[in-house]
Amino acid sequence: MRDYEARRLKNCSQSPTVALNAKGIEMKEQGIDVLSFAAGEPDFDTPEIIKQAAFEAIRNNQTHYTSAAGLVTLRRRIALKLREENGIAVDESCIIVTPGAKLALFQALMAFLEEGDECLVPTPAYPSYQAIIRMAGATYVPVPLKIEDGFRLTGQMLEEKATERTKMLIICNPCNPTGHVLSREEVEDIAAFAREREILVISDEIYEKLIYDGRKHYSLGAIPEIADRVITLNGFSKSVAMTGWRIGYSAAHPALTKVMMKLQTNTVNCTASFVQVASIAAFDCAEETEAMRLSYLERRDLICDGLNAIPGVFCPRSEGAFYAFFKIDYRDMTAEQLADYILEKAGILVVPGTGFGEGGEKCIRLSFAADKTQLKTAVERLRKIFA
Ligand code: PMP
Ligand code: GLU
């Protein structure tokens, strides 16, 4: 067939995390004995009150288009949460409810990036940042972080990669895949850089509720000097296990929101009405979220302790999210070779660290949002093949 692909897509690939997740599901369907830790999604069911609210909404025929940005009641509730919990000064005019935070990310990048623009991304990073930056025609500029430094990011590191074309910076806090949670100092340093350069900042806070060891979450959008230029992304997928419902949101200055609404109104129109209604109930699920967090914490310790006991493996204790991101020194294998070897010899599906960009060399991402017995089996099998 003739090559019909648009040029804007030539330079990017399918999401490796989504593709590997699908591979795991297919292998299991074919009856292949594989332990899949590729998927980055909670292994909990959505809390009951959210499901009940959805049933109720459908029964009440809340099945029509809502206002494009989202139900005012939901947007007000989101804005209240952002003011109270995150210190971000927003109201409903700043919020767009989208089918997943991923679409909010897409809108934010498409709305503000174009050819000639550069976008800084500390890496290892969520693979879709790179792909969408490229779709927008802009230049992806990685800022590689080091596992040995605990993936610490400084304003100086950003400054070294910045040019007069730098228009945007994407921060993921807590970070998928590294599990790093930004300290107050890091946040202030990043903010000072963004203020100096007058750039836009996307702050992806989807793992905000999953933080361990008494660490605190600091939102970039709460820093007054840059607040007008920060687009905060968040959603319900991770905090209340709603991945399949597809709902998330962006919060930004009304002037930026207005631009992103050009994309919202001409694409999805609005997010599913009854899903929006159900999401309002998610704000009453603090207890459920905390129980999930504690369960992830237990599994983090299980996996990190288990992996660190294997010679040649270095697994920093994830500070947030539900991923172990670890380095393996074994026969000089690359991350891809390691992932293939682990699948072939141990029947375990993981994501190679380089799928997340520079800084992921010789690394593997394993999601510990998985069955405890399976995690123990995984550690045992890895111990055997790397012994
Ligand atoms: N950002 C990050 C860092 C993620 O890991 C995810 C989950 N895949 C998303 C955004 C998107 O989440 P969702 O579209 O399910 O809200
Ligand atoms: N957050 C998940 C992951 O990183 C889901 C896949 C995706 O959205 O790319 O695996």
Side-chain angles (χ1 to χ4, degrees):
M1 199 197 283
R2 198 183 117 191
D3 181 7
Y4 290 105
E5 188 179 25
R7 245 180 310 136
R8 76 177 78 84
L9 291 181
K10 293 268 186 222
N11 213 3
C12 56
S13 42
Q14 281 197 36
S15 161
T17 44
V18 173
L20 277 169
N21 185 16
K23 181 172 172 174
I25 294 169
E26 276 169 28
M27 287 174 86
K28 280 181 194 160
E29 277 171 3
Q30 288 162 12
I32 301 169
D33 173 32
V34 66
L35 297 180
S36 179
F37 305 103
E41 74 164 327
D43 62 336
F44 291 100
D45 292 327
T46 305
E48 200 52 40
I49 60 162
I50 299 176
K51 291 193 276 191
Q52 287 306 328
F55 292 141
E56 188 82 355
I58 293 171
R59 237 179 261 117
N60 291 338
N61 297 308
Q62 287 178 284
T63 54
H64 299 268
Y65 293 136
T66 67
S67 65
L71 290 167
V72 178
T73 42
L74 174 59
R75 282 187 288 134
R76 283 199 182 131
R77 189 63 191 82
I78 291 169
L80 177 68
K81 173 251 182 293
L82 291 170
R83 287 196 303 271
E84 284 185 345
E85 293 182 6
N86 305 87
I88 303 175
V90 282
D91 64 18
E92 65 269 25
S93 69
C94 305
I95 311 295
I96 305 177
V97 178
T98 53
K102 203 174 216 172
L103 195 79
L105 170 73
F106 182 82
Q107 292 183 351
L109 296 179
M110 282 294 172
F112 305 111
L113 289 181
E114 62 192 334
E115 219 163 301
D117 293 338
E118 293 177 2
C119 181
L120 296 174
V121 181
T123 58
Y126 183 54
S128 295
Y129 299 157
Q130 175 181 162
I132 306 172
I133 290 166
R134 293 197 158 133
M135 278 180 218
T139 305
Y140 155 75
V141 181
V143 182
L145 308 178
K146 288 200 176 80
I147 192 168
E148 293 80 7
D149 289 345
F151 301 107
R152 206 170 50 90
L153 175 65
T154 63
Q156 178 62 31
M157 292 159 91
L158 293 168
E159 198 51 59
E160 277 163 20
K161 296 283 180 176
T163 71
E164 68 287 353
R165 292 175 166 233
T166 306
K167 191 174 186 184
M168 193 187 264
L169 161 69
I170 308 180
I171 296 290
C172 186
N173 180 34
C175 178
N176 172 10
T178 67
H180 181 57
V181 174
L182 294 176
S183 66
R184 180 82 220 171
E185 292 69 36
E186 282 176 297
V187 166
E188 279 169 5
D189 215 23
I190 295 164
F193 165 80
R195 187 190 54 218
E196 194 69 25
R197 289 266 171 189
E198 289 187 34
I199 55 169
L200 291 168
V201 180
I202 292 189
S203 184
D204 183 342
E205 307 189 356
I206 192 119
Y207 294 96
E208 173 204 6
K209 296 287 179 191
L210 307 177
I211 293 189
Y212 313 116
D213 310 318
R215 281 188 182 76
K216 233 178 107 46
H217 179 262
Y218 299 101
S219 291
L220 279 156
I223 298 183
E225 293 83 4
I226 59 162
D228 281 0
R229 282 179 283 110
V230 177
I231 303 166
T232 304
L233 307 181
N234 208 329
F236 304 88
S237 285
K238 318 292 167 167
S239 57
V240 276
M242 288 181 72
T243 46
W245 297 67
R246 309 310 299 129
I247 182 160
Y249 56 86
S250 59
H253 188 279
L256 301 179
T257 299
K258 208 169 146 192
V259 181
M260 292 191 283
M261 282 300 287
K262 293 186 187 182
L263 290 158
Q264 175 91 342
T265 53
N266 286 302
T267 55
V268 293
N269 185 343
C270 67
T271 300
S273 52
F274 47 88
V275 172
Q276 291 190 55
V277 178
S279 295
I280 297 172
F283 291 95
D284 295 321
C285 292
E287 266 178 38
E288 287 88 339
T289 300
E290 179 58 6
M292 292 181 208
R293 190 188 71 84
L294 291 172
S295 167
Y296 294 135
L297 174 64
E298 191 190 345
R299 289 179 275 174
R300 177 204 65 172
D301 289 340
L302 186 160
I303 201 80
C304 291
D305 291 344
L307 290 173
N308 279 320
I310 303 172
V313 176
F314 171 55
C315 179
R317 210 160 277 268
S318 331
E319 299 166 352
F322 41 55
Y323 306 102
F325 196 81
F326 52 100
K327 192 167 184 174
I328 307 178
D329 273 310
Y330 185 72
R331 295 183 186 164
D332 219 23
M333 282 188 186
T334 64
E336 296 279 349
Q337 287 168 336
L338 285 165
D340 288 346
Y341 179 73
I342 290 170
L343 181 60
E344 194 187 317
K345 300 284 181 199
I348 294 172
L349 197 62
V350 288
V351 187
T354 39
F356 304 92
E358 291 182 40
E361 295 79 14
K362 295 186 176 215
C363 289
I364 290 294
R365 188 193 81 170
L366 180 153
S367 167
F368 54 76
D371 179 74
K372 234 162 81 177
T373 315
Q374 287 194 3
L375 288 171
K376 282 183 191 159
T377 308
V379 170
E380 266 325 299
R381 289 192 195 170
L382 291 174
R383 193 197 317 279
K384 273 192 197 130
I385 67 164
F386 290 114

